[in-house]
Amino acid sequence: MPLHDADLVARVLVDDDHHAFAELVRNHQSAVRGLLRQLTRSDFALADDLAQETFLRAYKNMQSFRGEAKFSTWLYRIAYNCFREDARKRKELVGIDESQLAAEQDPQTVDPALKHDLMHALQLLPLHERSAILLCCQNGLSHDEAARVLDIPLGTVKTNVLRGREKLKKTLAVWKTD
Amino acid sequence: MDEQFQEDWLDRRLREEMPYIDDEGFTAAVVQKLPAAQAPGSYRAAILIGLTLLASVIAYFLSDGGRFFVVAAYRLAGMPLFFISFVAICGTLIATAAGASAALAQTRDTR
């Protein structure tokens, strides 16, 4: 019978059980790596490095997980913070690179081979809208949970999701008419 | 209506296009980087209790049957109440400050 996250977390905390932690990693690796791949704009190597850092940080700070939120929500928060710290270090936070920002705003500049690809359209969104869409629409988090992960007000999350959705629809419509 | 349909379609497509990423050694790589496992909690607790009992027995015999404790208790009883209260409050404040700073450091790590 598969164990729930709470049972596995308890085993890690009480017995420092590496097998239980491995089970947690196995259960959540796909979602965490998927989120980071989208946030890093498909830089798979960087995303996997950040995912490793996420799980190691989760292990180190397991005692601070109080079970108020879902374990996956807590992991997403750590993953997002790892990504932000790395982006800050690399000075690659969206909004700093003007040429990248211009490309984001103009879906016409996209390679024709990538048009009609929803995931590519998603990568054209600015970080704050992309992360809100990824968490709420793709990973199924509530607006409230996403606000906790991103550490921003609930209203901002709702706005970002709304704007992101609008831009996605527009981008896909523009590509459709090409 | 059409707007709602488009949103549902978009959300569904987004969920469908999120592929499952095969583990391919990722979990093993993470586990390999974990610090060495500590002894199980119950084992550690037994060792701690055993050592505490042993230390108490040694202290009892070395201190002439715990006579120093009786002497200290008499001395404490002779002190003014104000002084005892002051020491107790200071001790509590120091312990609270240490606990709070440890908790804050822990929270900062996860942020």
Side-chain angles (χ1 to χ4, degrees):
Chain A
M1 192 180 77
L3 286 167
H4 291 294
D5 284 349
D7 301 321
L8 294 167
V9 169
R11 284 189 182 193
V12 175
L13 284 173
V14 176
D15 294 330
D16 193 18
D17 186 342
H18 282 193
H19 294 292
F21 187 72
E23 193 62 31
L24 282 169
V25 177
R26 252 189 298 278
N27 291 346
H28 295 282
Q29 60 86 20
S30 176
V32 170
R33 289 163 80 196
L35 174 71
L36 286 165
R37 282 181 184 188
Q38 289 294 333
L39 288 173
T40 56
R41 290 202 164 94
S42 298
D43 185 340
F44 287 12
L46 174 62
D48 278 6
D49 284 349
L50 292 175
Q52 271 202 16
E53 174 63 25
T54 299
F55 284 109
L56 290 174
R57 218 180 264 195
Y59 175 81
K60 196 179 143 206
N61 296 291
M62 194 67 89
Q63 66 275 26
S64 70
F65 173 67
R66 289 184 292 271
E68 290 160 357
K70 281 188 283 185
F71 185 70
S72 56
T73 308
W74 186 69
L75 270 181
Y76 290 149
R77 181 170 166 76
I78 299 175
Y80 186 71
N81 286 340
C82 283
F83 163 74
R84 271 206 329 198
E85 279 169 30
D86 180 76
R88 230 177 263 142
K89 269 185 218 153
R90 291 162 182 264
K91 295 186 179 173
E92 280 179 6
L93 263 181
V94 175
I96 294 171
D97 186 340
E98 290 301 322
S99 60
Q100 195 178 42
L101 189 66
E104 280 168 2
Q105 288 167 344
D106 184 9
Q108 301 280 15
T109 59
V110 174
D111 176 355
L114 291 170
K115 289 187 176 180
H116 307 287
D117 180 349
L118 178 60
M119 299 319 275
H120 192 73
L122 189 64
Q123 290 184 12
L124 296 176
L125 293 178
L127 176 63
H128 55 282
E129 290 167 7
R130 188 160 25 112
S131 34
I133 289 276
L134 282 170
L135 291 170
C136 295
C137 306
Q138 197 169 49
N139 289 284
L141 266 67
S142 67
H143 287 152
D144 194 41
E145 287 172 322
R148 263 187 247 171
V149 170
L150 301 171
D151 199 20
I152 53 174
L154 179 63
T156 312
V157 172
K158 287 181 182 173
T159 309
N160 289 343
V161 169
L162 203 68
R163 284 189 188 152
R165 268 205 189 112
E166 284 306 311
K167 284 184 188 171
L168 275 181
K169 275 188 239 166
K170 268 184 201 163
T171 304
L172 293 172
V174 167
W175 288 353
K176 219 173 189 176
T177 54
D178 280 356
Chain B
M1 186 72 182
D2 188 45
E3 186 117 330
Q4 183 62 42
F5 175 78
Q6 272 196 341
E7 277 182 16
D8 292 346
W9 172 84
L10 204 58
D11 287 4
R12 209 174 45 246
R13 283 272 320 261
L14 279 165
R15 274 194 293 271
E16 282 168 3
E17 294 206 18
M18 187 171 74
Y20 180 81
I21 301 169
D22 285 326
D23 189 273
E24 288 174 339
F26 178 82
T27 301
V30 172
V31 172
Q32 207 171 23
K33 286 190 176 174
L34 296 179
Q38 295 172 351
S42 51
Y43 186 60
R44 268 180 288 155
I47 291 174
L48 275 175
I49 292 169
L51 284 176
T52 310
L53 285 175
L54 184 67
S56 304
V57 170
I58 292 171
Y60 181 81
F61 285 111
L62 289 181
S63 63
D64 193 18
R67 205 176 144 64
F68 76 97
F69 184 77
V70 179
V71 173
Y74 270 115
R75 219 180 269 166
L76 194 68
M79 283 179 182
L81 188 63
F82 172 77
F83 179 75
I84 296 170
S85 307
F86 178 74
V87 170
I89 289 169
C90 284
T92 310
L93 284 175
I94 290 168
T96 309
S101 70
L104 283 174
Q106 192 72 56
T107 315
R108 231 183 355 254
D109 278 350
T110 41
R111 279 192 173 181

Tab-separated table of all heavy atoms in Angstrom, chain B residues 26-57:
chain	number	residue	atom	x	y	z
B	26	PHE	N	17.457	10.302	-11.006
B	26	PHE	CA	17.396	11.571	-10.281
B	26	PHE	C	17.300	11.333	-8.767
B	26	PHE	O	18.056	11.927	-7.990
B	26	PHE	CB	16.195	12.399	-10.773
B	26	PHE	CG	16.030	13.694	-10.041
B	26	PHE	CD1	16.769	14.820	-10.391
B	26	PHE	CD2	15.150	13.809	-8.969
B	26	PHE	CE1	16.641	16.012	-9.698
B	26	PHE	CE2	15.012	14.993	-8.274
B	26	PHE	CZ	15.757	16.094	-8.643
B	27	THR	N	16.378	10.436	-8.378
B	27	THR	CA	16.188	10.168	-6.940
B	27	THR	C	17.475	9.633	-6.319
B	27	THR	O	17.877	10.072	-5.235
B	27	THR	CB	15.040	9.162	-6.740
B	27	THR	OG1	13.855	9.722	-7.306
B	27	THR	CG2	14.789	8.866	-5.274
B	28	ALA	N	18.123	8.715	-7.037
B	28	ALA	CA	19.370	8.131	-6.511
B	28	ALA	C	20.424	9.220	-6.315
B	28	ALA	O	21.140	9.220	-5.306
B	28	ALA	CB	19.880	7.064	-7.468
B	29	ALA	N	20.485	10.169	-7.260
B	29	ALA	CA	21.480	11.247	-7.155
B	29	ALA	C	21.192	12.128	-5.947
B	29	ALA	O	22.118	12.555	-5.248
B	29	ALA	CB	21.465	12.079	-8.432
B	30	VAL	N	19.908	12.385	-5.688
B	30	VAL	CA	19.543	13.215	-4.522
B	30	VAL	C	19.898	12.484	-3.232
B	30	VAL	O	20.534	13.050	-2.333
B	30	VAL	CB	18.036	13.583	-4.545
B	30	VAL	CG1	17.632	14.261	-3.242
B	30	VAL	CG2	17.718	14.482	-5.722
B	31	VAL	N	19.504	11.209	-3.154
B	31	VAL	CA	19.730	10.437	-1.919
B	31	VAL	C	21.230	10.312	-1.630
B	31	VAL	O	21.654	10.363	-0.471
B	31	VAL	CB	19.051	9.051	-2.019
B	31	VAL	CG1	19.437	8.165	-0.834
B	31	VAL	CG2	17.530	9.213	-2.071
B	32	GLN	N	22.005	10.196	-2.700
B	32	GLN	CA	23.463	10.077	-2.535
B	32	GLN	C	24.058	11.332	-1.876
B	32	GLN	O	25.063	11.251	-1.179
B	32	GLN	CB	24.090	9.881	-3.904
B	32	GLN	CG	25.397	9.124	-3.871
B	32	GLN	CD	25.862	8.761	-5.266
B	32	GLN	OE1	25.476	9.402	-6.238
B	32	GLN	NE2	26.682	7.751	-5.361
B	33	LYS	N	23.414	12.467	-2.104
B	33	LYS	CA	23.943	13.726	-1.562
B	33	LYS	C	23.456	14.026	-0.137
B	33	LYS	O	23.857	15.026	0.450
B	33	LYS	CB	23.553	14.887	-2.481
B	33	LYS	CG	24.352	14.895	-3.764
B	33	LYS	CD	24.140	16.168	-4.537
B	33	LYS	CE	25.027	16.195	-5.755
B	33	LYS	NZ	24.767	17.325	-6.622
B	34	LEU	N	22.559	13.174	0.381
B	34	LEU	CA	22.051	13.416	1.736
B	34	LEU	C	23.153	13.151	2.759
B	34	LEU	O	23.988	12.267	2.540
B	34	LEU	CB	20.864	12.491	2.039
B	34	LEU	CG	19.595	12.668	1.203
B	34	LEU	CD1	18.542	11.649	1.637
B	34	LEU	CD2	19.039	14.066	1.335
B	35	PRO	N	23.142	13.884	3.871
B	35	PRO	CA	24.123	13.574	4.925
B	35	PRO	C	23.855	12.175	5.493
B	35	PRO	O	22.722	11.695	5.413
B	35	PRO	CB	23.870	14.659	5.978
B	35	PRO	CG	22.582	15.300	5.616
B	35	PRO	CD	22.297	15.021	4.184
B	36	ALA	N	24.896	11.538	6.034
B	36	ALA	CA	24.754	10.168	6.557
B	36	ALA	C	23.617	10.085	7.568
B	36	ALA	O	23.429	11.001	8.367
B	36	ALA	CB	26.056	9.743	7.211
B	37	ALA	N	22.863	8.983	7.491
B	37	ALA	CA	21.695	8.818	8.376
B	37	ALA	C	22.147	8.714	9.827
B	37	ALA	O	23.158	8.092	10.138
B	37	ALA	CB	20.925	7.573	7.975
B	38	GLN	N	21.362	9.348	10.714
B	38	GLN	CA	21.671	9.264	12.144
B	38	GLN	C	21.065	7.975	12.701
B	38	GLN	O	20.258	7.330	12.026
B	38	GLN	CB	21.058	10.459	12.869
B	38	GLN	CG	21.687	11.775	12.437
B	38	GLN	CD	20.940	12.956	13.029
B	38	GLN	OE1	19.878	12.801	13.610
B	38	GLN	NE2	21.505	14.132	12.855
B	39	ALA	N	21.460	7.631	13.921
B	39	ALA	CA	20.866	6.453	14.555
B	39	ALA	C	19.368	6.693	14.730
B	39	ALA	O	18.940	7.832	14.875
B	39	ALA	CB	21.523	6.236	15.910
B	40	PRO	N	18.538	5.617	14.714
B	40	PRO	CA	17.098	5.806	14.877
B	40	PRO	C	16.758	6.551	16.158
B	40	PRO	O	17.501	6.461	17.142
B	40	PRO	CB	16.560	4.366	14.942
B	40	PRO	CG	17.615	3.523	14.355
B	40	PRO	CD	18.905	4.227	14.548
B	41	GLY	N	15.629	7.264	16.166
B	41	GLY	CA	15.229	8.098	17.305
B	41	GLY	C	15.188	7.332	18.625
B	41	GLY	O	15.720	7.789	19.633
B	42	SER	N	14.611	6.109	18.618
B	42	SER	CA	14.461	5.345	19.856
B	42	SER	C	15.839	4.940	20.400
B	42	SER	O	16.075	4.942	21.605
B	42	SER	CB	13.618	4.106	19.598
B	42	SER	OG	14.144	3.411	18.495
B	43	TYR	N	16.744	4.607	19.490
B	43	TYR	CA	18.097	4.199	19.866
B	43	TYR	C	18.828	5.371	20.525
B	43	TYR	O	19.464	5.231	21.565
B	43	TYR	CB	18.816	3.734	18.597
B	43	TYR	CG	20.185	3.152	18.814
B	43	TYR	CD1	20.363	2.019	19.608
B	43	TYR	CD2	21.299	3.724	18.210
B	43	TYR	CE1	21.626	1.488	19.790
B	43	TYR	CE2	22.559	3.195	18.395
B	43	TYR	CZ	22.719	2.079	19.193
B	43	TYR	OH	23.972	1.563	19.369
B	44	ARG	N	18.675	6.554	19.888
B	44	ARG	CA	19.318	7.746	20.429
B	44	ARG	C	18.774	8.080	21.812
B	44	ARG	O	19.500	8.425	22.729
B	44	ARG	CB	19.102	8.936	19.482
B	44	ARG	CG	20.213	9.090	18.468
B	44	ARG	CD	19.953	10.257	17.572
B	44	ARG	NE	18.872	9.964	16.648
B	44	ARG	CZ	18.102	10.881	16.087
B	44	ARG	NH1	18.269	12.139	16.362
B	44	ARG	NH2	17.156	10.539	15.234
B	45	ALA	N	17.433	7.951	21.943
B	45	ALA	CA	16.793	8.258	23.232
B	45	ALA	C	17.312	7.323	24.321
B	45	ALA	O	17.611	7.762	25.437
B	45	ALA	CB	15.277	8.124	23.088
B	46	ALA	N	17.466	6.021	23.988
B	46	ALA	CA	17.949	5.037	24.970
B	46	ALA	C	19.372	5.393	25.413
B	46	ALA	O	19.683	5.334	26.606
B	46	ALA	CB	17.902	3.643	24.363
B	47	ILE	N	20.203	5.778	24.463
B	47	ILE	CA	21.590	6.148	24.797
B	47	ILE	C	21.607	7.366	25.720
B	47	ILE	O	22.311	7.394	26.742
B	47	ILE	CB	22.403	6.441	23.507
B	47	ILE	CG1	22.612	5.150	22.724
B	47	ILE	CG2	23.750	7.083	23.837
B	47	ILE	CD1	23.270	5.357	21.374
B	48	LEU	N	20.790	8.365	25.383
B	48	LEU	CA	20.747	9.596	26.190
B	48	LEU	C	20.292	9.317	27.615
B	48	LEU	O	20.898	9.790	28.589
B	48	LEU	CB	19.809	10.615	25.542
B	48	LEU	CG	20.434	11.488	24.455
B	48	LEU	CD1	19.373	12.360	23.815
B	48	LEU	CD2	21.522	12.378	25.060
B	49	ILE	N	19.222	8.515	27.745
B	49	ILE	CA	18.693	8.204	29.079
B	49	ILE	C	19.736	7.417	29.880
B	49	ILE	O	19.990	7.697	31.062
B	49	ILE	CB	17.362	7.423	28.975
B	49	ILE	CG1	16.278	8.354	28.409
B	49	ILE	CG2	16.927	6.867	30.333
B	49	ILE	CD1	15.004	7.669	28.022
B	50	GLY	N	20.371	6.456	29.219
B	50	GLY	CA	21.394	5.630	29.877
B	50	GLY	C	22.539	6.482	30.389
B	50	GLY	O	22.956	6.347	31.553
B	51	LEU	N	23.027	7.376	29.537
B	51	LEU	CA	24.148	8.242	29.924
B	51	LEU	C	23.759	9.175	31.071
B	51	LEU	O	24.552	9.417	31.984
B	51	LEU	CB	24.619	9.067	28.717
B	51	LEU	CG	25.462	8.304	27.684
B	51	LEU	CD1	25.771	9.202	26.491
B	51	LEU	CD2	26.771	7.810	28.307
B	52	THR	N	22.519	9.688	31.017
B	52	THR	CA	22.047	10.585	32.081
B	52	THR	C	22.006	9.851	33.422
B	52	THR	O	22.444	10.378	34.463
B	52	THR	CB	20.640	11.130	31.740
B	52	THR	OG1	20.674	11.645	30.428
B	52	THR	CG2	20.198	12.208	32.703
B	53	LEU	N	21.489	8.615	33.397
B	53	LEU	CA	21.401	7.827	34.634
B	53	LEU	C	22.803	7.546	35.193
B	53	LEU	O	23.050	7.689	36.392
B	53	LEU	CB	20.667	6.515	34.362
B	53	LEU	CG	19.141	6.637	34.197
B	53	LEU	CD1	18.536	5.301	33.800
B	53	LEU	CD2	18.509	7.131	35.509
B	54	LEU	N	23.704	7.174	34.276
B	54	LEU	CA	25.080	6.861	34.688
B	54	LEU	C	25.736	8.092	35.323
B	54	LEU	O	26.354	8.010	36.396
B	54	LEU	CB	25.884	6.398	33.466
B	54	LEU	CG	27.312	5.951	33.740
B	54	LEU	CD1	27.315	4.657	34.563
B	54	LEU	CD2	28.076	5.725	32.436
B	55	ALA	N	25.554	9.244	34.661
B	55	ALA	CA	26.140	10.491	35.174
B	55	ALA	C	25.556	10.836	36.544
B	55	ALA	O	26.264	11.301	37.441
B	55	ALA	CB	25.893	11.626	34.184
B	56	SER	N	24.251	10.587	36.710
B	56	SER	CA	23.600	10.898	38.001
B	56	SER	C	24.173	10.029	39.113
B	56	SER	O	24.443	10.507	40.226
B	56	SER	CB	22.089	10.660	37.895
B	56	SER	OG	21.567	11.405	36.848
B	57	VAL	N	24.362	8.745	38.811
B	57	VAL	CA	24.888	7.816	39.828
B	57	VAL	C	26.312	8.232	40.225
B	57	VAL	O	26.648	8.296	41.418
B	57	VAL	CB	24.869	6.362	39.285
B	57	VAL	CG1	25.638	5.416	40.214
B	57	VAL	CG2	23.429	5.893	39.125
